[in-house]
Amino acid sequence: MRKRFIAGAVCPHCHKKDTLALWRENNVDVVECAACGHQMREADKQVRDQVCSQEQVICIFHPE
Ligand SMILES: [Zn+2]
């Protein structure tokens, strides 16, 4: 499974930068923080709004 890191993204859990990896699992986008292991799925719905799947785009997470 191919993972790619999201440039500029900040983990909503540990607030570290450039630690979020994105990949696709069973047609669901999964985002995981390599630093703390925090995981989000597109099924959570928030993820779609917060994550840009394009590598060139800088995405920022906004902790609720
Ligand atoms: Zn984290």
Side-chain angles (χ1 to χ4, degrees), residues 30-47:
V30 182
V31 179
E32 187 180 73
C33 175
C36 70
H38 184 67
Q39 202 176 86
M40 294 155 285
R41 287 167 186 274
E42 191 184 9
D44 294 338
K45 182 63 182 137
Q46 292 181 325
V47 178

Side-chain angles (χ1 to χ4, degrees), residues 11 13-15 19 33 35-38:
C11 174
H13 191 71
C14 68
H15 301 114
T19 58
C33 175
C36 70
H38 184 67

